[in-house]
Amino acid sequence: MDPVTVGAVLVAIAGGAGSELAARLWAGVSALVRRPFRHPPCDAGRACDAELAALEQAPADEGRAVALAEVLVARAGSDAQFRQALEGWWGAGRADPDGYWGCHEHD
């Protein structure tokens, strides 16, 4: 997963486009960010929360989406349980034929 691709997906789902899929995916990533893990790196967890809140305030801001994606990917790199959950979220979105994952070659 690269932050630019994840960021593009985040901006698409944060904007929602009125879709049920976007709402489900946004709820999923929000729950993932807020979910406590056994060994969460505290700074990474706080960074994820802050970047999620920033994107919620400006859902069309690609910079904020990439910033959230960067902290998600960084946290996944240091927390195996979080990485599995993030990969599960990513896989669920990719599995939907009407999803926002337009760049399948970039995961």
Side-chain angles (χ1 to χ4, degrees):
M1 260 184 265
D2 79 275
V4 173
T5 302
V6 175
V9 169
L10 288 169
V11 93
I13 66 173
S19 126
E20 181 182 325
L21 175 61
R24 280 194 329 252
L25 292 171
W26 183 253
V29 77
S30 296
L32 178 64
V33 166
R34 294 183 175 119
R35 180 175 150 194
F37 290 87
R38 276 187 208 165
H39 305 290
C42 293
D43 291 340
R46 283 192 292 273
C48 288
D49 283 337
E51 296 301 343
L52 178 68
L55 185 56
E56 287 173 332
Q57 294 297 313
D61 187 324
E62 291 180 22
R64 289 181 181 191
V66 170
L68 174 57
E70 287 172 345
V71 296
L72 290 172
V73 170
R75 184 171 176 188
S78 64
D79 182 337
Q81 187 181 14
F82 184 84
R83 181 179 58 248
Q84 288 179 323
L86 183 62
E87 288 172 350
W89 172 81
W90 185 256
R94 285 197 48 166
D96 193 301
D98 299 320
Y100 291 92
W101 279 232
C103 300
H104 294 273
E105 69 275 8
H106 293 291
D107 41 281

